[in-house]
Amino acid sequence: LLIAEMNSSAPVNGNALTTAEDIGERFEALVTTGTRSVYTFIPNLDNAIGGMEKQTLIILAARPGMGKTALGWQIARNVRESGAKVIFFSLEMSGPSLWARAACPAAGVTWRDFLANLLSEAQIERLLEESRSLRARYGDRLIITDTMHTTESVWRAVASHQPDLIVIDHIRFLKDKGE
């Protein structure tokens, strides 16, 4: 009786259901278009997971202080180095603090020494040189935003810039009208 009742009612959204034939056709198109992954360029990680599947939500989850931001930032930079376009939504950390995670180690200085103003003139010059080098390497293909966003503004940014990868750090801080 319930199935007969369901068969007689109109679909709520008017969308037809997908058949096995449709899914098989879509799968075959994927097979012929090449890679389905965006590689992290972290060899052990890529060997374990085969890269990150395109058009898939992947969540890095761990307790505080375990390196989620560092891993997401490293993946974003690696993907950009491969020639791809990346948007990094840094909702928890300022852009300059995030940038320091790349520039300070490259210059051989610690962020703590930079914050405490304990750098020598030579270290400051090296830090500035590394920052300029990173700017030239990443250019406009690594977009970093550290302002608050809503789900809608993320969708608009993605539609506008057409990135190969987006990273949202920290998704809990993404504002939305609903839950």
Side-chain angles (χ1 to χ4, degrees), residues 161-178:
H161 294 283
Q162 299 290 304
D164 300 291
L165 173 70
I166 67 168
V167 177
I168 300 174
D169 179 43
H170 186 289
I171 201 162
R172 180 174 54 100
F173 296 132
L174 195 62
K175 301 291 181 198
D176 208 348
K177 292 176 184 146

Side-chain angles (χ1 to χ4, degrees), residues 70-91:
L71 180 59
W73 179 228
Q74 185 64 55
I75 290 170
R77 291 171 38 223
N78 290 353
V79 169
R80 168 52 200 109
E81 291 279 352
S82 76
K85 185 182 242 183
V86 178
I87 300 178
F88 194 102
F89 294 91
S90 183
L91 307 180

Side-chain angles (χ1 to χ4, degrees), residues 2-166:
L2 181 59
I3 292 176
E5 195 175 306
M6 290 171 74
N7 283 336
S8 68
S9 63
V12 174
N13 62 5
N15 292 337
L17 296 176
T18 315
T19 67
E21 185 174 330
D22 297 330
I23 296 298
E25 186 177 315
R26 286 172 41 198
F27 171 75
E28 290 164 21
L30 290 174
V31 170
T32 60
T33 59
T35 183
R36 286 287 308 138
S37 292
V38 173
Y39 294 104
T40 67
F41 300 95
I42 300 172
N44 289 344
L45 183 57
D46 285 336
N47 288 338
I49 65 172
M52 300 175 295
E53 185 178 1
K54 291 180 181 178
Q55 298 175 327
T56 301
L57 172 66
I58 298 168
I59 297 178
L60 297 175
R63 294 182 2 212
M66 301 301 289
K68 299 176 297 295
T69 296
L71 180 59
W73 179 228
Q74 185 64 55
I75 290 170
R77 291 171 38 223
N78 290 353
V79 169
R80 168 52 200 109
E81 291 279 352
S82 76
K85 185 182 242 183
V86 178
I87 300 178
F88 194 102
F89 294 91
S90 183
L91 307 180
E92 185 174 41
M93 183 181 290
S94 74
S97 292
L98 187 66
W99 194 256
R101 288 183 174 226
C104 286
V109 301
T110 67
W111 177 240
R112 178 176 286 158
D113 286 347
F114 172 74
L115 285 178
N117 201 24
L118 298 175
L119 301 182
S120 68
E121 288 298 320
Q123 288 174 313
I124 290 170
E125 189 53 41
R126 252 191 347 266
L127 186 57
L128 291 172
E129 286 173 19
E130 287 301 329
S131 180
R132 290 179 196 120
S133 173
L134 290 171
R135 286 173 53 194
R137 282 184 9 222
Y138 299 147
D140 64 351
R141 308 265 314 153
L142 176 58
I143 299 164
I144 303 163
T145 178
D146 61 357
T147 57
M148 293 310 297
H149 281 273
T150 63
T151 335
E152 182 182 333
S153 66
V154 168
W155 279 100
R156 278 194 311 259
V158 169
S160 174
H161 294 283
Q162 299 290 304
D164 300 291
L165 173 70
I166 67 168

